[in-house]
Amino acid sequence: MLDIINFDGLIIGIATFLIIGLFHPVVVKAEYYWGTGCWWIFLILGIVGTGVSLLVNNVLISAICGVFAFSSFWTIKEVFEQEERVLKGWFPKNPKRQYPEKKKMYEKEKS
């Protein structure tokens, strides 16, 4: 019976759930400690994950690497949005870093 059941989709779904769940606290911590300047780390992770996904023959591993890669790319956007959330007071500021003023940041959005 288990020979005919394909678990790949279920495994990919669980891995996707865990990867996305892992990236949420990573975004918060990365912005807190490094600010938006850490975006390039996620770009490199995304490029490496994409490369591995293209080179691996196993569909399951390839799909999980692809999910990791594009979660890394999405994290770039989230790091910048996290800074906005910090400026709105939704998350704590790192007292050792300087943040752009709210007023200047929101004036840019109106333009």
Side-chain angles (χ1 to χ4, degrees):
M1 173 82 178
L2 288 178
D3 294 340
I4 59 173
I5 297 176
N6 185 354
F7 286 101
D8 287 352
L10 187 60
I11 293 169
I12 292 168
I14 291 168
T16 301
F17 178 77
L18 293 174
I19 290 168
I20 291 170
L22 172 75
F23 272 96
H24 280 286
V26 167
V27 166
V28 173
K29 295 294 184 185
E31 191 285 326
Y32 183 84
Y33 289 109
W34 302 307
T36 56
C38 67
W39 69 268
W40 61 270
I41 295 169
F42 299 107
L43 177 65
I44 292 171
L45 287 173
I47 291 168
V48 168
T50 300
V52 171
S53 179
L54 292 171
L55 296 173
V56 171
N57 288 329
N58 183 305
V59 173
L60 179 63
I61 302 298
S62 177
I64 292 171
C65 288
V67 168
F68 176 82
F70 282 86
S71 294
S72 297
F73 292 139
W74 186 263
T75 298
I76 295 169
K77 172 188 161 298
E78 285 296 320
V79 166
F80 286 94
E81 288 184 0
Q82 178 64 18
E83 183 179 64
E84 292 177 23
R85 293 188 283 264
V86 168
L87 292 173
K88 289 177 182 176
W90 298 352
F91 287 86
K93 287 183 178 181
N94 183 341
K96 297 179 182 177
R97 284 196 312 107
Q98 288 188 357
Y99 287 85
E101 294 178 33
K102 275 187 193 181
K103 190 176 181 182
K104 289 180 184 176
M105 178 174 260
Y106 294 114
E107 283 177 5
K108 250 181 17 181
E109 287 179 3
K110 292 179 183 178
S111 306

